[in-house]
Amino acid sequence: MTQRASTAPCALPGTPLANARSGIDACVHCGFCLQACPTYLTLDDENDSPRGRILLMKAALEGTIPLESETLTTHIDRCLGCRACETACPAGVPYGHLLEATRATMLAGRPLPFVARMVLAVFARKPLLALLMFGGRITRATGLASLLGRLPGRLGFAMAMLASTRRPAAGGRRASADRQTATSEQVVLLTGCVMEGLLTETNRATERVLARNGFVVDGDAAGQGCCGALHAHAGDRATAQRLARCNIEAFERANPDFICVNAAGCGSMMKEYPALFDDDAEWRTRATAVAARVRDVSELLVHAGPAPAGPLTIRATYDAPCHLIHAQRIASPPLVVLRSIQGLDLVPLDGTEHCCGAAGIYNLVEPEVSADVLAPKLRAIADTGAAVVATGNPGCMMQIGAGLLRAGSATRVRHPVELLDEAYAKGADVSFPA
Ligand code: SF4
Ligand code: SF4
């Protein structure tokens, strides 16, 4: 489709939103995206749909409504950034890019809510983040997170999220390349912030299953850190750029064949690093080279096989993280990974492609809408009768995990590679902590 340049006036020249104008103009207002949008389905307001939000962006750009308008800020804030609308859109509207550009433009005249500022400040500083994660592990180990997770409100939900990251000890098994048909391709893991801080054992399981499938996983990318996704999604482009530069430099030094990411949101961010550097040719080139090596762990495992595992006799279902299925368009590889586990009774999950309501820090800043979006997901999971929900993103794991804990469900959440790792290690039934 050929887009004609808009001739409408621009009230915000030089802003990220003005630079994203061609994306706004690409919308033909067909409404195909509406039924894919969780906030539209939950709130039943056109302004909380992709089409409505794009019209609000256009109105702000043309000066019809001010940037501080409550109508604009309320409905842009309520967007999950799940990008289900991109998958549904026949016109190729780059909605995720438009949302980040709008939030970046709004940020110049309006500070983020206090909770969001605190979380983003901590995630941008390694010592503070390490302290937070250490405190989280202590709170979890003492059982306090499980106890406080029963409280109503934001604190209770946050504690249940933390409690849901508890894992059985794996006995410190290390990665080792014990498969005959080694690929000999070197892989370095993006260890991440929440993944390494709270889901450490999932990272180790990722390394083990990669090694089991012939990858060389003995290196690290010294200096790597938070990918910057939370900051980019909130419109804090400067911090997202700073964090991206650190990771680009770290992975350039490590120089692996592939950068493995086991967190869908982080993988999506790293694959889109070049878009952060529109106005910087040198960094854009470097970002493009690094982004080209980024793979979700499921892509790598499918590339190598994966080697069959099991038997693991358990009923499981799969929930597709938005930033895997919509942002990265990776749908079948996680299912291939799960189907490689003999004995696994993999049952479909109704609405697997719908957002769970986690969306980065959305569940902290918009707790009511987040809970309303989560509710049908929990009902669908209960209908499957599955003992385990597999999903490949820490935000989704903690959101669904917290919802299940607070509902008194015995179903637990695991990353697909954790199940594969268990199947390789035990070849038998696996038990999960209550
Ligand atoms: S589907 Fe695409 S073109 Fe149609 S209204 Fe939604 S964003 Fe616009
Ligand atoms: S990103 Fe998700 S919540 Fe936001 S408009 Fe698109 S479908 Fe709706």
Side-chain angles (χ1 to χ4, degrees):
M1 182 182 300
T2 305
Q3 278 300 311
R4 285 192 303 169
S6 173
T7 54
C10 177
L12 302 166
T15 59
L17 189 55
N19 296 338
R21 178 166 209 152
S22 62
I24 292 175
D25 292 340
C27 178
V28 295
H29 312 296
C30 63
F32 285 179
C33 53
L34 266 60
Q35 292 304 316
C37 175
T39 54
Y40 177 70
L41 296 177
T42 301
L43 299 165
D44 196 23
D45 183 339
E46 172 81 16
N47 283 325
D48 284 311
S49 77
R51 181 171 66 183
R53 291 185 175 116
I54 290 169
L55 284 172
L56 289 172
M57 293 172 192
K58 186 176 167 66
L61 188 58
E62 295 175 357
T64 313
I65 57 171
L67 271 182
E68 311 75 41
S69 151
E70 200 180 325
T71 306
L72 178 72
T73 56
T74 298
H75 299 293
I76 294 298
D77 284 351
R78 275 193 202 149
C79 178
L80 291 149
C82 70
R83 296 169 66 173
C85 45
E86 283 188 30
T87 302
C89 178
V93 172
Y95 182 85
H97 179 56
L98 297 183
L99 179 66
E100 288 181 6
T102 306
R103 286 180 171 165
T105 305
M106 285 164 50
L107 197 59
R110 182 197 70 142
L112 290 168
F114 177 75
V115 175
R117 270 184 287 150
M118 289 300 104
V119 173
L120 295 180
V122 170
F123 274 73
R125 292 165 180 81
K126 282 185 184 178
L128 287 180
L129 184 62
L131 200 60
L132 179 72
M133 293 296 145
F134 177 71
R137 290 193 296 274
I138 296 288
T139 309
R140 184 179 64 189
T142 57
L144 200 57
S146 296
L147 201 64
L148 296 177
R150 297 175 193 154
L151 292 174
R154 284 188 209 200
L155 176 67
F157 196 85
M159 286 295 119
M161 287 173 71
L162 180 59
S164 75
T165 62
R166 186 175 157 226
R167 291 292 183 273
R173 288 180 293 118
R174 304 294 299 269
S176 62
D178 53 359
R179 192 180 174 202
Q180 298 303 311
T181 54
T183 71
S184 299
E185 290 163 312
Q186 196 205 353
V187 172
V188 171
L189 181 68
L190 173 82
T191 48
C193 27
V194 173
M195 289 305 296
E196 191 64 18
L198 297 178
L199 292 157
T200 323
E201 187 47 40
T202 310
N203 272 358
R204 299 295 81 78
T206 301
E207 291 165 348
R208 286 191 292 268
V209 300
L210 287 170
R212 179 70 181 78
N213 282 277
F215 292 99
V216 179
V217 278
D218 58 356
D220 186 19
Q224 65 160 305
C226 174
C227 68
L230 294 179
H231 306 84
H233 298 335
D236 184 358
R237 198 174 161 90
T239 305
Q241 286 173 332
R242 176 171 67 76
L243 295 170
R245 284 193 189 98
C246 281
N247 279 332
I248 290 166
E249 287 174 338
F251 285 104
E252 282 176 342
R253 281 192 298 271
N255 196 27
D257 293 310
F258 297 116
I259 299 161
C260 175
V261 186
N262 60 8
C266 311
S268 169
M269 182 76 242
M270 290 192 75
K271 287 181 178 179
E272 294 177 2
Y273 270 173
L276 280 176
F277 300 104
D278 281 341
D279 49 359
D280 186 330
E282 186 209 328
W283 276 99
R284 188 175 173 85
T285 301
R286 293 172 68 176
T288 301
V290 166
R293 300 189 201 187
V294 175
R295 299 285 186 281
D296 183 73
V297 62
S298 63
E299 290 182 282
L300 288 175
L301 290 170
V302 169
H303 167 67
L312 189 64
T313 50
I314 196 165
R315 175 172 284 195
T317 193
Y318 172 69
D319 186 56
C322 296
H323 280 82
L324 204 56
I325 194 167
H326 300 304
Q328 298 186 58
R329 304 292 167 100
I330 294 173
S332 65
L335 294 169
V336 173
V337 169
L338 292 168
R339 287 187 190 119
S340 71
I341 302 173
Q342 295 162 29
L344 193 78
D345 179 17
L346 186 62
V347 292
L349 178 64
D350 193 30
T352 183
E353 76 284 7
H354 290 166
C355 184
C356 64
I361 57 172
Y362 189 94
N363 53 10
L364 296 177
V365 294
E366 297 282 349
E368 289 86 12
V369 183
S370 174
D372 289 345
V373 172
L374 175 62
K377 181 74 72 185
L378 295 179
R379 284 196 294 273
I381 290 168
D383 288 345
T384 66
V388 177
V389 183
T391 191
N393 190 56
C396 313
M397 292 165 77
M398 294 169 75
Q399 169 88 347
I400 297 171
L404 291 169
L405 281 177
R406 284 162 73 83
S409 169
T411 306
R412 294 291 176 263
V413 184
R414 291 291 179 271
H415 196 293
V417 299
E418 289 182 82
L419 295 179
L420 187 62
D421 182 56
E422 289 284 353
Y424 284 144
K426 292 184 180 177
D429 285 328
V430 57
S431 59
F432 296 100

